[in-house]
Amino acid sequence: MLSLTIALLALIVGYFLYGKFVEHVFQPDDRPTPAVSMADGVDYIVMPTWKVFMIQFLNIAGTGPIFGAIMGAWYGPAAYLWIIFGCIFAGAVHDYFSGMLSVRHGGANLPELVGIYLGDGTRKVMLFFSVILLMMVGVVFVLSPALILGDFCLSKTAWIIIIFVYYVLATMLPIDKIIGKIYPVFAFALLFMAVALLACLFFKMPQLPEVWTDLSNYTSSHESEKLLGTIAYFKRNPLFPCLFLTIACGAISGFHGTQSPLMARCMKSEKSGRQVFYGSMITEGIVAITWASVSMYFFYYGGWRSVVDPNIVNTFLSQFDKPDGQTLVQFFSAPKVVEYVCVGWLDIFGGILAVFGVVAAPITSGDTAFRSARLIIAAALGLSQKSIRKRLYIAIPMFLVAILMLIWQIDDPNGFNTIWNWFGWSNQSLAVFTLWTITVYLVRKGKPYWVSLLPAVFMTTVCFTFLLVSEQAFGSWIPRHYGYAFGLASIIVSIVWFAVWFRKNRTASRH
């Protein structure tokens, strides 16, 4: 519990200290924001700061800080360190600058910002990359809430249809008609879930691994608990770099950069940027820390026995010794962990409200993912979105493609995990582009560019190494030590590339 307490305090202190420093680096002022100067009644609309914060938080939260933290808990207390340092020094920096650069450039979307600072060729790559990622987000965030709701009423398919219909409406209508009205309710449910589970953790005081705990010697009196599958899991997904992709939204996420322009078009003042962008990321980090702690107790210390129906436990144990038997991480998927913990710890009413918050998170990220994709495509085509007819030109083919992606994974028992893994890599790769964009901006403005350079180099290495090390990519073809060697080389290459560019840029600025 000491590591959890320190982690929470670190995130809060990080907001007030490092967040203030990051704001000072950018230097927001009183110039008119796009919501004021470009108001169109559809996407550019002034909204109260508290509502903009709520929407931003829900936009970026999704299931990332929940499901990602649950799966990341298999790496033990290292998850704490990544969430703390990643959130304060990488994720919140990424979100703040991507949002504020959008404000300064008339609400420009992420590919446009990348084009301004990294060139038109990179903009085109980002355009394709962003749309594909947003489509994946929308599809993932259709399936995950449907999996949870399907256990309460109706069927998984029925919920998929209902959620998809909602996505169409939220994507097409002005942002204040649906999103601006229902997000505060969803935000309350999600925040209630996080606060309630934190209260349970401090009230129950369950056994949790500390940062200094050595889980490699983890043992249990029950044979089935000695063989939870962690050895096989780590062989396929080594801590570096896989932890840094598994826990994405709770630490740093490129998806956030696609969402920040939505709220950049609704802010009345630049000076609310730290609350809206940096603050939302810190809040998401708190949600991730909460679920990482709950999950470490659930998996490592038998917490699943206290909240799961005994018949389900017996089903798991009975098939454990079979050749095709599942490990704990496979049997209790992330959506199931959410359902069992919320209902088991918070009883029926609290559990339903908590589950509602967890369900609301992906739904409210899925709708804005599709909305962002529509706006990015419209900007690339130069197509005004004030007319609903022109919105349909983009929305119809976009949703048809999304339906095909959904059909591809809906009946695949491992479909969610597969698309999540590649979503994680695509997500962090998008963050790499954004961090380098921010770095170029800071260099050109003569500001302390190291605030984004360090996380840019680190995340570049993480994404490149994953392709060569993880068995989900090319790790089964390449000896792992070669993969790590090339990963180390990517650090050197990126630093040398930046140094050459920096020297050239500085020389050009003097002339």
Side-chain angles (χ1 to χ4, degrees), residues 5-48:
T5 304
I6 293 173
L8 291 171
L9 291 174
L11 289 172
I12 295 170
V13 171
Y15 169 78
F16 286 104
L17 295 184
Y18 199 69
K20 187 70 175 177
F21 169 73
V22 169
E23 181 183 51
H24 175 72
V25 169
F26 185 82
Q27 295 180 338
D29 55 37
D30 295 321
R31 73 185 69 188
T33 63
V36 175
S37 61
M38 301 171 63
D40 65 358
V42 178
D43 298 304
Y44 293 80
I45 299 175
V46 172
M47 290 194 289

Side-chain angles (χ1 to χ4, degrees), residues 421-501:
N421 289 331
W422 283 108
F423 157 71
W425 179 81
S426 303
N427 190 25
Q428 300 300 57
S429 297
L430 196 65
V432 169
F433 282 101
T434 307
L435 287 168
W436 283 114
T437 298
I438 295 167
T439 303
V440 171
Y441 161 78
L442 292 174
V443 169
R444 290 182 179 176
K445 294 294 183 179
K447 298 176 182 292
Y449 55 83
W450 56 264
V451 297
S452 59
L453 174 63
L454 296 179
V457 171
F458 179 74
M459 293 309 300
T460 298
T461 304
V462 165
C463 293
F464 183 72
T465 307
F466 173 82
L467 293 176
L468 302 177
V469 169
S470 174
E471 292 186 10
Q472 297 165 4
F474 305 111
S476 58
W477 303 348
I478 303 172
R480 184 162 294 173
H481 59 278
Y482 286 162
Y484 282 123
F486 283 118
L488 178 62
S490 70
I491 299 178
I492 299 171
V493 170
S494 60
I495 292 175
V496 170
W497 171 84
F498 174 76
V500 171
W501 175 87

